[in-house]
């Protein structure tokens, strides 16, 4: 019992959400965010994004992202469930003690979509101190900026 209490004291919960209105149809945005293997092409610090398993009893697919930040490599293996306008993400293995997240995509009108990233994490006290709310928000905004630039570039190619 004492060991369990000590472990719990050194864990921090981190919850955050970032939303943005994008000038694209929701089907296009959802298709892009669902294309897990393309993340390495535009996600900063991501060296590799790959599907490990596409048939699972619990998930639509299992994927792995590999990052390098400040010379340190991190791998996050996640189980993902694809729903109509949402992707639910559960970390299976990675730097967080626990992580559940989601991408939500909602059509505002014919040419606008709201995309939201929500995460609930439990991290070690040390990692929690490094990952302040502003750091996490900056990283998600960098991801969204890169996501939008890639989506714009891919749409220009299709239009030409």
């Amino acid at each position: 019992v004492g060991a369990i209490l000590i472990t719990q004291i050194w864990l921090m919960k981190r919850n955050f959400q970032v939303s943005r209105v994008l000038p694209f149809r929701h089907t296009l945005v959802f298709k892009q965010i669902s294309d897990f293997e393309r993340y390495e092409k535009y996600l900063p610090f991501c060296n590799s994004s790959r599907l490990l398993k596409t048939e699972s009893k619990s998930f639509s697919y299992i994927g792995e992202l590999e990052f390098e930040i400040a010379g340190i490599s991190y791998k996050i293996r996640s189980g993902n469930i694809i729903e109509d306008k949402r992707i639910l993400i559960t970390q299976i293995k990675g730097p967080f003690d626990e992580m559940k997240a989601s991408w939500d995509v909602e059509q505002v009108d014919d040419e606008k979509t709201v995309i939201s990233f929500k995460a609930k994490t439990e991290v070690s006290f040390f990692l929690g101190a490094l990952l302040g709310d502003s750091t996490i928000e900056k990283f998600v905004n960098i991801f969204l900026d890169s996501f939008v630039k890639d989506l714009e570039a891919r749409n220009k190619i299709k239009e030409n």
Side-chain angles (χ1 to χ4, degrees):
V1 175
I4 292 171
L5 290 175
I6 290 171
T7 302
Q8 290 177 345
I9 290 171
W10 294 105
L11 295 177
M12 295 177 72
K13 293 184 186 292
R14 288 274 187 222
N15 301 326
F16 57 92
Q17 177 178 344
V18 176
S19 298
R20 190 178 292 186
V21 176
L22 303 179
F24 303 103
R25 298 184 62 76
H26 99 282
T27 51
L28 188 63
V29 172
F30 193 76
K31 183 178 177 183
Q32 173 95 348
I33 204 72
S34 300
D35 193 355
F36 186 81
E37 290 183 302
R38 280 194 46 79
Y39 283 19
E40 67 188 48
K41 297 186 184 317
Y42 62 86
L43 180 59
F45 314 111
C46 184
N47 297 330
S48 175
S49 55
R50 59 189 166 274
L51 291 178
L52 301 176
K53 197 178 201 182
T54 54
E55 292 183 24
S56 168
K57 291 180 182 177
S58 303
F59 302 108
S60 303
Y61 63 85
I62 295 173
E64 185 173 78
L65 298 175
E66 187 172 336
F67 295 91
E68 186 173 325
I69 301 171
I72 300 171
S73 292
Y74 300 93
K75 284 186 182 179
I76 299 175
R77 183 173 295 173
S78 64
N80 304 288
I81 298 171
I82 298 176
E83 296 179 344
D84 185 35
K85 297 178 184 178
R86 171 183 285 171
I87 300 172
L88 301 171
I89 305 157
T90 302
Q91 175 189 274
I92 296 170
K93 185 176 181 182
F96 304 103
D97 288 289
E98 184 177 322
M99 194 250 333
K100 293 191 180 289
S102 68
W103 283 106
D104 294 280
V105 178
E106 188 173 326
Q107 187 78 32
V108 175
D109 59 33
D110 287 344
E111 297 301 322
K112 289 184 186 165
T113 298
V114 174
I115 185 169
S116 300
F117 181 74
K118 302 172 193 163
K120 293 182 179 185
T121 64
E122 201 168 270
V123 298
S124 68
F125 183 79
F126 176 73
L127 187 57
L130 290 175
L131 292 177
D133 291 342
S134 64
T135 303
I136 293 168
E137 187 174 336
K138 282 179 190 174
F139 181 79
V140 174
N141 277 313
I142 289 169
F143 175 89
L144 285 173
D145 290 344
S146 300
F147 174 84
V148 169
K149 285 178 188 172
D150 188 66
L151 197 53
E152 287 171 343
R154 291 177 78 194
N155 274 330
K156 286 180 184 175
I157 291 169
K158 287 181 183 179
E159 290 172 2
N160 292 334

